[in-house]
């Protein structure tokens, strides 16, 4: 199973997101630390989930890292995370463009 598919499956099961966007940015990191031929080492992940309510940004990111620990141990080198509650997402519709 592809790393992106595993990320999607695990985050969906654990966080029941209203929106989940996963982008493999590995090719942008060719020649840098952690890159390997075939990619699947550097991902941009946006998760909108009610389960983040009441958690700090750091706590949200730690939760995602805990869920994906096996993938990190297996060579997932970098995750750029955007973690929002549905209320935060609704308050900032411009964020959905996927650029940050």
């Amino acid at each position: 199973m592809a790393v992106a598919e595993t990320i999607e499956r695990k985050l969906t099961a654990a966080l029941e997101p209203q929106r989940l966007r996963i982008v493999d940015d590995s090719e942008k990191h060719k020649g840098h630390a952690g890159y390997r031929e075939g990619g699947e080492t550097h991902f941009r992940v946006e998760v909108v989930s009610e389960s983040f309510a009441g958690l700090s940004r750091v706590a949200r990111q730690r939760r995602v890292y805990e869920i994906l620990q096996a993938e990190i141990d297996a060579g997932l080198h970098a995750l750029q995370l955007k973690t929002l509650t549905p209320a935060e997402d609704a308050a900032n519709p411009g964020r959905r463009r996927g650029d940050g």
Side-chain angles (χ1 to χ4, degrees), residues 11 17 25 32 38 62 70 80:
L11 293 180
D25 278 340
H32 297 134
R62 283 184 182 148
Q80 178 183 342

Side-chain angles (χ1 to χ4, degrees), residues 9-79:
R9 182 179 51 78
K10 286 187 165 189
L11 293 180
T12 297
L15 301 173
E16 300 178 350
Q18 283 73 22
R19 188 172 69 251
L20 176 59
R21 183 168 182 258
I22 302 165
V23 177
D24 185 347
D25 278 340
S26 300
E27 286 304 310
K28 293 180 181 178
H29 299 275
K30 198 169 196 168
H32 297 134
Y35 176 82
R36 67 174 175 252
E37 209 55 47
E40 298 197 313
T41 56
H42 296 72
F43 288 89
R44 197 166 11 115
V45 178
E46 179 178 357
V47 186
V48 177
S49 175
E50 189 60 45
S51 67
F52 293 139
L55 297 178
S56 70
R57 181 182 59 84
V58 172
R60 294 172 187 193
Q61 291 181 353
R62 283 184 182 148
R63 178 72 181 119
V64 172
Y65 283 118
E66 288 169 3
I67 294 164
L68 301 177
Q69 189 61 55
E71 289 65 40
I72 294 166
D73 292 345
L76 174 58
H77 181 74
L79 286 173

